[in-house]
Amino acid sequence: MSDEIAENGTANGDVPEIELIIKASTIDGRRKGACLFCQEYFMDLYLLAELKTISLKVTTVDMQKPPPDFRTNFEATHPPILIDNGLAILENEKIERHIMKSVPGGHNLFVQDKEVASLIENLYSKLKLVLVRKDEQKSAALRAHLARIDALLERRGTRFLTGDTMCCFDCELMPRLQHIRVAGKYFVDFEIPTSFRALWRYMYHMYQLDAFTQSCPADQDIINHYKLQQALKMKKHEELETPTFTTSIPVDVSEPHAD
Amino acid sequence: MSDEIAENGTANGDVPEIELIIKASTIDGRRKGACLFCQEYFMDLYLLAELKTISLKVTTVDMQKPPPDFRTNFEATHPPILIDNGLAILENEKIERHIMKSVPGGHNLFVQDKEVASLIENLYSKLKLVLVRKDEQKSAALRAHLARIDALLERRGTRFLTGDTMCCFDCELMPRLQHIRVAGKYFVDFEIPTSFRALWRYMYHMYQLDAFTQSCPADQDIINHYKLQQALKMKKHEELETPTFTTSIPVDVSEPHAD
């Protein structure tokens, strides 16, 4: 089903094997793609595999040419797809709930923290606005949001959002920070200010973690993800347009030979 | 083989039927595409069909999903393709030579005019440079070239490049002028100066001619043609790139908890 299979955790009969199907890179079908939810659940499950409560199998599927058995089983469903004991879970919210309720050790990841939950929930939509509008006002809104996250990290003084160990919020936030960093810089020269020291320290710790580095797409894949989105948007727009033909003339040139 | 078939000229046994296969629009496979050579030969043959020396059949092929019989016959060959009496001619230079030497009436289109031939031959490459480099120097070079064409038209005082009837040079030049006008304006805000009165008069006459209007792609198709070229260039570039991962940190944040 895939060219790239990462395994982690013990594969003996003591712990259940969980399979996560993720989207491949749109540049090279053998690489991991820049799918935020794929990376988020990859990180959640990687942490559980490190704790040896599960054995994790990650399968990469190239959606530009999905293998026949993938199409047979899942038709038009896109990854992430979680497979647990023969049961395929296709929707993001259900995957999250399944990890929390049914995957051994999962409940420990789902810390209750309303402040953090509401702080990070609209961050990503601000990046999308920056990439679409490309104006300084939207960049300033994104920067202000990052400043609030920086302030919380500074105030709490913990290594991660809710303490010194990772939780579901970290698995949600960090892939989005990486997209902001890489795509923001590439498309609109947006940079996370170096004055956000607590935020950079947070990212520094993330960059040391296997759960992040094993699941993280290449910069080029992040960039290409947004390029393709923009190209598709353009194409859709153009398909709806009535074709026009520029054949007007900006000057008076009528019948010069009749002069 | 096609959704759109345009026929022109008499279809009786007196004149040969020539089929020209052209590329479809990349936005809507039923429309004509922005292929310069397709339009050039379409115009040549349309003029001959108007003179009733041939009967012309134009077939549009959507290269994103070519019909099975097209793939069987021509494999990876792209239009334009000319079919005359069961013989398929695949290369542009051979199509041109075939129209000149073997298609009835064709030799009349191929006027000898060295001044015009050398005047128009490098015009299009200047548009490509403008679109790639996007700097004023390249725009100025394109404008200067158009000024020379304007000056020739002004000096000669003829409706078309070599006289008051169209010839092969007009069928070559006008599609390229239309690309310069539409894509130049869209991508780099390049405009043909209104002071080029003889050139605008020339375009005005072209816009009245069926040979041009029947063969001309929509503005959107011209624009999308260059957008796709740019996207493909980007993708090729990225496939060759070694994947990189931005995980460096611009500030010193090493082990703040050890302080």
Side-chain angles (χ1 to χ4, degrees):
Chain A
M1 187 163 186
S2 157
D3 294 316
E4 183 193 315
I5 293 176
E7 297 228 27
N8 195 353
T10 57
N12 60 36
D14 297 332
V15 296
E17 183 184 88
I18 306 284
E19 180 178 2
L20 182 69
I21 302 177
I22 63 169
K23 268 183 215 164
S25 155
T26 48
I27 297 172
D28 179 339
R30 293 163 300 179
R31 297 208 302 250
K32 288 179 290 285
C35 163
L36 285 168
F37 288 103
C38 294
Q39 193 184 359
E40 178 178 342
Y41 305 142
F42 191 153
M43 288 177 72
D44 282 334
L45 295 168
Y46 196 97
L47 293 171
L48 299 181
E50 284 187 325
L51 294 170
K52 304 208 187 302
T53 65
I54 61 162
S55 143
L56 174 63
K57 175 178 175 182
V58 175
T59 305
T60 305
V61 169
D62 184 352
M63 295 306 289
Q64 292 170 328
K65 36 183 177 191
D69 61 339
F70 181 85
R71 272 179 283 147
T72 310
N73 291 334
F74 305 115
E75 288 179 18
T77 306
H78 277 231
I81 293 170
L82 187 146
I83 298 171
D84 183 359
N85 200 18
L87 179 74
I89 302 161
L90 309 179
E91 290 166 49
N92 291 347
E93 282 179 28
K94 287 187 181 159
I95 292 174
E96 208 169 305
R97 195 174 313 138
H98 187 84
I99 295 173
M100 176 165 60
K101 303 267 189 196
S102 308
V103 174
H107 65 278
N108 293 318
L109 289 175
F110 287 81
V111 175
Q112 286 275 347
D113 193 323
K114 279 191 182 168
E115 185 186 14
V116 167
S118 70
L119 180 63
I120 69 174
E121 75 179 343
N122 291 316
L123 177 68
Y124 182 63
S125 61
K126 294 202 173 68
L127 172 65
K128 300 281 278 187
L129 282 172
V130 165
L131 296 182
V132 170
R133 303 281 184 78
K134 301 185 179 180
D135 66 30
E136 181 45 38
Q137 208 186 334
K138 298 297 169 195
S139 294
L142 177 59
R143 211 177 292 110
H145 198 145
L146 292 169
R148 291 202 299 278
I149 297 172
D150 177 63
L152 176 129
L153 288 165
E154 181 68 39
R155 171 161 53 79
R156 293 199 172 184
T158 50
R159 188 169 287 226
F160 299 111
L161 283 165
T162 62
D164 286 327
T165 54
M166 298 249 298
C167 75
C168 64
F169 297 121
D170 299 296
C171 299
E172 185 180 337
L173 177 61
M174 187 58 196
R176 287 159 180 83
L177 286 177
Q178 188 71 2
H179 280 229
I180 290 169
R181 186 178 184 191
V182 173
K185 176 70 188 164
Y186 183 87
F187 289 102
V188 292
D189 206 28
F190 178 89
E191 287 187 345
I192 302 173
T194 51
S195 57
F196 295 179
R197 294 185 60 82
L199 186 63
W200 279 113
R201 198 163 56 221
Y202 174 80
M203 291 169 72
Y204 169 80
H205 288 127
M206 281 289 182
Y207 290 141
Q208 318 302 315
L209 282 184
D210 286 346
F212 179 75
T213 57
Q214 291 292 315
S215 63
C216 187
D219 298 347
Q220 288 85 348
D221 296 315
I222 294 175
I223 290 162
N224 204 54
H225 173 77
Y226 294 97
K227 276 187 186 166
L228 285 177
Q229 278 192 354
Q230 287 169 7
L232 287 175
K233 213 175 285 168
M234 278 187 334
K235 194 161 190 291
K236 229 175 203 163
H237 179 66
E238 279 158 350
E239 279 168 354
L240 294 171
E241 264 181 43
T242 309
T244 52
F245 297 85
T246 301
T247 58
S248 63
I249 294 284
V251 284
D252 178 21
V253 293
S254 51
E255 294 310 317
H257 292 278
D259 294 346
Chain B
M1 185 162 188
S2 156
D3 295 315
E4 185 195 313
I5 293 176
E7 295 229 25
N8 195 351
T10 57
N12 61 36
D14 297 331
V15 295
E17 184 184 88
I18 305 284
E19 180 177 2
L20 181 69
I21 302 176
I22 63 169
K23 269 183 213 160
S25 155
T26 49
I27 297 173
D28 179 339
R30 292 164 301 180
R31 296 208 304 250
K32 289 178 290 284
C35 163
L36 287 166
F37 288 103
C38 293
Q39 193 184 0
E40 179 178 341
Y41 306 142
F42 191 153
M43 288 177 72
D44 282 335
L45 295 168
Y46 196 98
L47 294 170
L48 299 181
E50 284 186 323
L51 295 170
K52 304 207 185 305
T53 65
I54 62 162
S55 143
L56 175 61
K57 175 178 174 183
V58 176
T59 305
T60 306
V61 169
D62 184 352
M63 295 307 289
Q64 291 169 328
K65 37 184 175 190
D69 61 339
F70 181 84
R71 271 179 284 146
T72 310
N73 291 334
F74 306 116
E75 288 178 19
T77 305
H78 277 232
I81 294 170
L82 186 146
I83 298 172
D84 182 359
N85 200 18
L87 179 74
I89 303 161
L90 310 179
E91 290 165 49
N92 292 346
E93 282 180 29
K94 288 186 182 160
I95 292 174
E96 208 169 304
R97 195 175 313 139
H98 188 83
I99 296 172
M100 176 165 59
K101 304 267 189 197
S102 308
V103 174
H107 65 276
N108 293 318
L109 290 175
F110 288 80
V111 174
Q112 285 275 348
D113 193 324
K114 280 192 181 166
E115 186 186 14
V116 167
S118 70
L119 181 62
I120 68 175
E121 74 179 344
N122 291 316
L123 177 67
Y124 182 63
S125 61
K126 295 202 172 68
L127 171 65
K128 300 281 277 188
L129 281 171
V130 165
L131 297 181
V132 171
R133 304 281 183 79
K134 302 184 178 179
D135 66 30
E136 181 46 37
Q137 209 186 333
K138 298 298 170 195
S139 295
L142 176 58
R143 211 177 293 113
H145 198 145
L146 292 169
R148 291 201 299 279
I149 297 172
D150 177 63
L152 176 129
L153 289 164
E154 181 68 39
R155 172 161 52 80
R156 292 198 174 185
T158 49
R159 187 167 287 224
F160 300 111
L161 284 166
T162 62
D164 287 327
T165 54
M166 297 247 298
C167 74
C168 63
F169 297 120
D170 300 295
C171 299
E172 184 181 336
L173 176 62
M174 187 59 197
R176 287 159 179 83
L177 285 176
Q178 188 71 2
H179 280 228
I180 289 169
R181 188 179 181 188
V182 174
K185 176 70 187 162
Y186 183 87
F187 289 100
V188 292
D189 205 28
F190 178 89
E191 287 187 343
I192 302 173
T194 52
S195 59
F196 295 179
R197 294 185 59 83
L199 186 63
W200 279 113
R201 198 163 57 220
Y202 174 80
M203 291 169 72
Y204 169 81
H205 287 127
M206 280 288 183
Y207 290 141
Q208 318 303 315
L209 282 184
D210 286 346
F212 179 75
T213 58
Q214 292 291 316
S215 63
C216 188
D219 297 347
Q220 287 86 347
D221 296 314
I222 294 174
I223 290 162
N224 204 54
H225 172 77
Y226 295 97
K227 277 187 186 164
L228 286 177
Q229 279 193 353
Q230 287 169 7
L232 287 174
K233 213 174 286 168
M234 279 183 336
K235 192 161 191 294
K236 228 175 203 162
H237 180 64
E238 279 159 350
E239 279 167 354
L240 294 172
E241 264 181 45
T242 309
T244 53
F245 298 85
T246 301
T247 57
S248 62
I249 294 284
V251 285
D252 178 20
V253 292
S254 49
E255 294 311 317
H257 293 276
D259 293 346

